[in-house]
Amino acid sequence: MSKKILALDVGTSMIKAVLVSAEGKSLFSASSPVEDSGRHDVDPEQIWRKAAAVIAEVVGKAGGNSEIGALIATGQGDGLWMLENGTETPASAVLWNSSDGSAVVHDWETDGTIASHFDATGTVLWPGCSAALWRWFAKKEPARAAKVTTVFTAKDFINFKLTGVIATDITDATIPFIDPAGRNYSEAAFERLGCQDMRALVPEVLEAGSAIAPLTAEAAALTGLSESTSVHMGLLDVAAMMIGSGLKNQGDVLAVLGTTAASISIVPAGKPSKNAVGATIYLPDGQHLRVMGSSSGTATLEWFLKTHGFEGANRYQDFWKEVEDAEPSGEIFLPYLNGERAPFLATNAFGVLLGITSTTTRGAIGRAVVEGVTMSLKHGMSVVASEAKLAGQGSITLAGGGSMSANWAQLVANLAAKPVVVDGRPDLGALGVASLLLPKTADVSTSSLTKVNRFEPDKNNTDWQEKYSRFLEYVDLFRLKWLKDSNDVSPLPKH
C-alpha cells in the first residue's frame, strides 16, 4: 500500500492516533487521556468519541484525508466489551485489570479448571479475562446479560463503530477460547469454563491485516476521513508492540513499563511451558508470545503520587528528586494493589510495605514502590526468557511510559543485571500494527527511532540482586496467606 496508514492505539490510560508513511515513519500524532473512574471500567461511547477525535486531529494536521489509504487499530485486550440487542452500546465496559471475576477464578482454581485450561492453551486465566467477567456479570445481572449479543475487545468495539462490522483477530481471540492447534474457537474451552452461553456471542476471527470494510458515513463525518477509507483488522497491543520493536528472536525480551508491567518474549510453538503462569498469545505467523502481564505498573506509581501529595506538572520531577535525596534503606514493597495475575496467580493479593522504621521518609517509601514494580517486572522477564530456552542470551528492550524516566530505566538494568535498551517511541504499538499494511521494504523498528538510550548495570548490582532475593522471599511468604483457601500453593516459577 503506497498511501499513508492511520494507526490507532486504544490503550488503558491513553488513546493515540498516528499517521505512518509508506516507509514506516511516524508523521503526525495525537492523543487523549482516558479518565480513571477508579472502578476499572469505562464508558465505551466516550472511548469511541475520544478515538474519533484523535483521528480527526491527525487528519487535520496532515492537511486532509487525500493521502490516507487505510486505518488499522491495536489496543488493550481482554475485559468485557459488549453490544446489546445487535448494535446498542451498554453504559460501561469492564477492563482487563478488574477484580470482578475473582470469585469465578477462585472456583476454577479449586476445581482444577485453571490447571486444565493451562494444559490446553498455555494461559492461566485471571479475574479480568472475558470468561471470568462474563460468568460474574451473567450471575450478577442476568436480565442485562440476556440482552447481550456480542462480547469482544476494545479495538474490536472501535472497529465496529468505524464500520458496523463485528469481528476480531487471532491475538485478541486467543484468550480464552482459541484452540492452539486448530487456531479457531474450541468448543471444549467454552464447556470447560462454563461459558457455553458465550459461544454465540464471540465474533468471527479474521486474519490480521485483512480488510474489514470501509468507514460508515457517520464515522467518516466524525473522523474527517473519506467514506472510502478501508478499515483493516489489527492486533492486540502487546503483539503490535513486539512487531514495532523489531524483536524477532527467541529469548529477546520486550519489557513494558505501562499501566501494566509486562514482560514478553517469542517462544517455540507447541506444548505450553511447564511454568503454569502467564498468558500465551498465538501470532498470525504461527509463533507464540509468552506474556507475563503483572497487575502492577505505572498505575501503581500514579496511586502513590496521588495519595502522597505529588501533584501538578512537575510531580514526576519532584518525586524522583525526593527518592534520590532519601538515604539508602531496606524498605521493600509488594506492589499487588489489585491482586496478581503473572508471573503467579493470586486473585486476593494485596500491597505490602515491609522494613519501615522511625527514620523512613516519604522518598524512601516512593523508592520502594518503584523498586517493587520493577522487581515484579524482573520476575516476569526471568520467566519468559527461561521459557525461550535462551535465558541470559537474548536482549532486553524497555518501552512504555515508565521507560521515559532515566532513573527507572537504570533500575531495570540493575535488577535485570543486563544492559537495557530503551525504545522511547510513544507510538510503538501503532507503528507495529501499521506495519501489517506497509510494503515489506518498510522497517518500523528503526524508521522513527531517533535516539537509542542504553543503560548498563551499575556497580551496586550485587546489592540489587540481594534485595531482589528478599523480595521473592517475602512474595513466597505472603503468597501462602493469599492462597490459603486455594488448591494452588505451588512454588513460584523458577527465576
Side-chain angles (χ1 to χ4, degrees), residues 102 104-115 125 345-348 483 486-488:
S102 294
V104 176
V105 172
H106 175 79
D107 290 344
W108 284 341
E109 286 186 285
T110 302
D111 65 17
T113 299
I114 290 290
L125 298 178
L345 180 65
T347 59
N348 58 338
L483 302 177
S486 169
N487 289 336
D488 180 15

Side-chain angles (χ1 to χ4, degrees), residues 120-443:
T121 66
T123 292
V124 170
L125 298 178
W126 69 98
C129 73
S130 62
L133 289 172
W134 174 254
R135 289 275 302 269
W136 158 79
F137 177 72
K139 181 178 180 180
K140 180 174 178 284
E141 300 196 50
R144 286 186 58 201
K147 299 178 182 179
V148 174
T149 48
T150 300
V151 173
F152 48 12
T153 62
K155 85 166 192 326
D156 302 324
F157 170 73
I158 296 299
N159 284 338
F160 166 73
K161 298 297 288 186
L162 289 165
T163 66
V165 176
I166 297 170
T168 191
D169 82 294
I170 188 70
T171 59
D172 258 323
T174 292
I175 302 171
F177 299 120
I178 293 291
D179 168 32
R183 298 176 71 79
N184 211 324
Y185 290 118
S186 163
E187 305 303 326
F190 287 97
E191 183 175 351
R192 181 167 55 245
L193 300 175
C195 291
Q196 295 92 327
D197 54 348
M198 278 187 73
R199 181 62 184 92
L201 308 181
V202 294
E204 177 187 5
V205 179
L206 300 182
E207 183 179 352
S210 64
I212 300 173
L215 290 178
T216 65
E218 180 183 1
L222 286 171
T223 61
L225 291 168
S226 166
E227 286 186 48
S228 64
T229 305
S230 177
V231 179
H232 292 248
M233 180 55 67
L235 295 164
L236 175 65
D237 56 1
V238 293
M241 291 180 74
M242 199 75 179
I243 294 171
S245 70
L247 298 178
K248 300 176 181 178
N249 300 319
Q250 293 181 25
D252 289 345
V253 173
L254 177 64
V256 182
L257 272 176
T259 306
T260 178
S263 305
I264 311 154
S265 186
I266 297 171
V267 299
K271 189 174 176 60
S273 159
K274 65 179 182 296
N275 291 318
V277 293
T280 301
I281 305 296
Y282 314 138
L283 297 178
D285 62 4
Q287 296 190 90
H288 289 177
L289 283 184
R290 281 289 275 154
V291 183
M292 299 296 138
S294 173
S295 293
S296 63
T298 57
T300 310
L301 173 58
E302 293 297 338
W303 159 81
F304 179 82
L305 297 177
K306 183 177 179 180
T307 57
H308 290 77
F310 291 95
E311 299 177 341
N314 295 322
R315 64 188 185 280
Y316 297 115
Q317 296 93 313
D318 295 342
F319 167 78
W320 283 110
K321 183 180 187 307
E322 197 159 323
V323 167
E324 291 171 347
D325 290 345
E327 291 293 326
S329 51
E331 294 86 4
I332 288 180
F333 181 67
L334 308 188
Y336 312 118
L337 302 181
N338 298 299
E340 183 57 302
R341 57 176 184 163
F344 62 92
L345 180 65
T347 59
N348 58 338
F350 45 76
V352 181
L353 178 62
L354 299 142
I356 60 173
T357 69
S358 60
T359 62
T360 297
T361 63
R362 185 175 69 163
I365 297 173
R367 178 174 56 218
V369 167
V370 290
E371 287 177 357
V373 172
T374 311
M375 289 176 185
S376 176
L377 180 69
K378 150 79 171 178
H379 193 182
M381 286 193 290
S382 300
V383 173
V384 295
S386 68
E387 291 184 358
K389 299 180 176 60
L390 292 168
Q393 298 180 41
S395 64
I396 297 175
T397 296
L398 185 65
S403 70
M404 297 300 95
S405 164
N407 303 71
W408 211 340
Q410 182 62 59
L411 182 56
V412 174
N414 289 341
L415 282 163
K418 288 183 62 175
V420 168
V421 173
V422 172
D423 189 322
R425 295 173 292 174
D427 45 13
L428 188 61
L431 287 166
V433 76
S435 72
L436 296 178
L437 305 181
L438 295 174
K440 294 186 183 300
T441 53
D443 183 4

